[in-house]
Amino acid sequence: MRTRFMTTSVMVASLLMSGWAFAQIPNFQRGQVITAGQLNRIVNQVNSNTSALGGDGGTTHTVDCSSGTIADAMSQARPGDTIMITGTCNEAVVVDKDSITLDGGGSAVIDGADIDHWAVDVTGRQQVNIKGLTVQNGHDTGIMITESSGVWLQDVTVRNTRHHKDYDTEGQGIFVGHSSSAVLTGTIVADGNAGNGIMVWQSSSALVVGNFTPRGSPFPQASVRANGNGGHGIFVAGSSSFTAFSSFGENTAIHAKTNRYSGISVEHSSSMMVGGTDIEATNNQGNGLGIGGASSAQFWGGAAISKTISGLFDDNGGSGIVVWGSSFMGVWDDGMTVSIKATGNMWNGLWMGGGSEVAFDSPASESTSSLVFSGNGTAGISVISNGTFFSKFAIDVMNNSGNGINAWGNSYVDLYTSVRKTITGNGGDGIAAWNGVSLDIDVVTVTGSGKSDISAGIGSRIGWVSGSQIGSVYCDGSVLVFDNAACPDQYVD
């Protein structure tokens, strides 16, 4: 009997104000990625930051940067006060009180060109709100949120942060680190920084949320852009988390394009959780999305948030999606359509290995979700070194320069569902399964390959049912076959 992935009822965030609602999410082999406790912490984080949005009826201190300074206003401010900024301020801003709002009115600028410091520093402070503000030309960091700080960012642009004079690796746009948290909503832009656009580091969290009303305070539509940075667009590492969702209206949007490294990178025991969100991670010099070092990413679209999901990971200088080092990626559709594309990348559409798992799951027997891994420079999908790939979604793996699906080294590929799977026009084998691979497929069309449509060997195990359309097949004699699989010597060199 074949092992199938099961589902379990857990708390999810459709009623985030109370933190209680039920829906199904997958319980994959590694275990569920998102838990009730995690979601309740999200609720608390949102409500904590929201409670300070309007202040507590405090005083508004107006700063005209042509004649005054934010530092003077900060020295007079008390918790609950707002500092309203106009013009362009050439100063480093240190927020040294809790429950302070910096409001740029949508046009004010903090320019760090003449300072030898990060532009905005929030260290060890809670319920700080920064909105309607542009921060540019910071030295080392544009906005620094650190040492257990809690910050709300709304309609904020951080651009052109410079490297620190002593450290070429610095130059972060927005930095959230050392057990701190940030809620991001409205339009967030982190473009053209010398380092990472947005960095979440060392047990910290960033929550991107749009179209949601906790405690009567509405969130606007959320959009995050992290393009053209000298590091990653979005970098999450050191047991940190990045969460993005929208509960109604338009999806939250995340754009991470044309960065020097990956568009989005999640590393070192960190996590990403995405629902009701459209992601575009394209034209990066590295990978579109990287998940590694015992990290996890979950994309969920379903009844809990009544949202679809789309992921576009095209035309990157590395691979579209990379999952490595005992990491996990799970995509769950729960009756709502999910669309994932990774096309035109220099290397693979999806590359996974080193004991990692990728699962595209659905409670429906006929999922309407789709995967496209086409036109990549090597394989459409590579599953190597004890990797596990499972999908209940329709799949197109076409016109890749190498193999369509390349499985190797004690790995497992399970496509045993009744939805369509088309693997055609690939330059190498349509499906290659070598060195102890288990390949289990159903309703698959494998044709037009440059070599064999299916090739297998060195102790692999393959099987497909009679409804599949498969052209040439080659096995090396050590292959164990089951169902309707057959292995004549038809290898095309």
Side-chain angles (χ1 to χ4, degrees):
M1 179 178 295
R2 299 183 180 90
T3 300
R4 290 288 177 255
F5 291 35
M6 305 300 292
T7 62
T8 183
S9 291
V10 298
M11 303 298 184
V12 294
S14 62
L15 297 177
L16 280 174
M17 187 161 64
S18 63
W20 296 98
F22 287 94
Q24 296 284 321
I25 68 167
N27 183 11
F28 300 105
Q29 287 183 342
R30 184 170 297 283
Q32 63 199 38
V33 178
I34 189 168
T35 67
Q38 288 171 315
L39 285 168
N40 284 328
R41 282 193 292 275
I42 292 171
V43 176
N44 293 334
Q45 182 181 348
V46 172
N47 286 335
S48 174
N49 283 271
T50 303
S51 65
L53 271 181
D56 295 319
T59 301
T60 296
H61 307 263
T62 300
V63 178
D64 181 345
C65 292
S66 65
S67 58
T69 66
I70 299 171
D72 285 343
M74 188 70 66
S75 67
Q76 301 172 40
R78 297 291 179 265
D81 286 0
T82 294
I83 298 175
M84 180 66 68
I85 307 164
T86 61
T88 299
C89 289
N90 300 102
E91 63 176 301
V93 177
V94 178
V95 179
D96 58 5
K97 299 178 176 70
D98 293 338
S99 302
I100 293 293
T101 295
L102 297 179
D103 191 342
S107 60
V109 176
I110 295 175
D111 194 316
D114 298 327
I115 60 176
D116 188 18
H117 201 273
W118 41 77
V120 178
D121 176 13
V122 184
T123 299
R125 298 299 169 185
Q126 295 296 316
Q127 296 184 338
V128 172
N129 302 287
I130 302 172
K131 59 183 181 179
L133 190 63
T134 293
V135 179
Q136 63 188 30
N137 302 320
H139 192 204
D140 178 49
T141 303
I143 297 179
M144 173 73 81
I145 303 166
T146 189
E147 295 183 16
S148 301
S149 292
V151 175
W152 165 289
L153 300 177
Q154 178 176 336
D155 297 324
V156 169
T157 294
V158 183
R159 63 192 181 200
N160 302 329
T161 302
R162 301 166 290 155
H163 286 308
H164 189 283
K165 63 181 181 180
D166 297 322
Y167 305 101
D168 287 342
T169 58
E170 302 300 331
Q172 320 299 339
I174 299 171
F175 178 86
V176 186
H178 308 294
S179 303
S180 297
S181 65
V183 175
L184 286 65
T185 193
T187 300
I188 303 296
V189 177
D191 285 356
N193 299 288
N196 304 303
I198 299 173
M199 183 171 180
V200 187
W201 173 253
Q202 203 171 58
S203 303
S204 296
S205 65
L207 170 62
V208 181
V209 57
N211 293 320
F212 172 59
T213 308
R215 295 187 180 176
S217 299
F219 284 59
Q221 169 65 20
S223 172
V224 173
R225 192 178 80 198
N227 298 340
N229 295 288
H232 305 289
I234 299 172
F235 183 44
V236 185
S239 301
S240 296
S241 67
F242 182 89
T243 304
F245 72 93
S246 179
S247 59
F248 64 90
E250 296 183 18
N251 277 12
T252 289
I254 296 175
H255 302 277
K257 304 187 291 184
T258 64
N259 296 287
R260 182 181 180 187
Y261 300 132
S262 295
I264 303 171
S265 185
V266 184
E267 301 180 16
H268 310 304
S269 302
S270 296
S271 67
M272 178 170 72
M273 295 175 283
V274 175
T277 299
D278 298 323
I279 294 177
E280 185 178 358
T282 61
N283 297 105
N284 298 286
Q285 294 183 40
N287 306 308
L289 169 64
I291 307 160
S295 295
S296 65
Q298 180 180 328
F299 300 72
W300 77 95
I305 53 174
S306 300
K307 284 292 178 179
T308 60
I309 291 177
S310 68
L312 191 64
F313 307 99
D314 294 348
D315 301 316
N316 294 287
S319 295
I321 302 170
V322 171
V323 186
W324 55 273
S326 300
S327 295
F328 173 73
M329 176 178 175
V331 182
W332 176 246
D333 74 2
D334 198 7
M336 305 298 288
T337 301
V338 175
S339 173
I340 303 290
K341 287 182 59 183
T343 67
N345 297 287
M346 181 172 289
W347 300 109
N348 304 275
L350 167 66
W351 185 96
M352 53 170 299
S356 294
E357 302 174 26
V358 173
F360 299 91
D361 204 357
S362 171
S365 58
E366 295 287 342
S367 172
T368 60
S369 296
S370 63
L371 308 172
V372 178
F373 300 104
S374 298
N376 297 289
T378 52
I381 301 171
S382 283
V383 186
I384 68 171
S385 301
N386 300 295
T388 298
F389 179 84
F390 165 83
S391 177
K392 291 181 70 175
F393 296 179
I395 300 179
D396 290 300
V397 184
M398 302 182 296
N399 304 320
N400 298 285
S401 296
N403 300 326
I405 298 177
N406 181 55
W408 179 87
N410 299 312
S411 294
Y412 177 48
V413 176
D414 184 346
L415 304 178
Y416 202 85
T417 60
S418 58
V419 296
R420 175 189 55 79
K421 293 166 285 292
T422 303
I423 303 168
T424 185
N426 296 288
D429 296 320
I431 302 176
W434 287 78
N435 194 13
V437 167
S438 179
L439 173 65
D440 193 354
I441 53 180
D442 184 11
V443 192
V444 63
T445 298
V446 191
T447 59
S449 305
K451 293 185 177 180
S452 292
D453 289 320
I454 292 183
S455 72
I458 315 181
S460 293
R461 173 183 179 272
I462 63 172
W464 58 82
V465 298
S466 57
S468 297
Q469 300 178 36
I470 299 171
S472 59
V473 179
Y474 170 78
C475 299
D476 72 353
S478 68
V479 177
L480 174 65
V481 299
F482 60 94
D483 286 343
N484 296 99
C487 284
D489 186 357
Q490 297 179 356
Y491 185 72
V492 180
D493 197 358

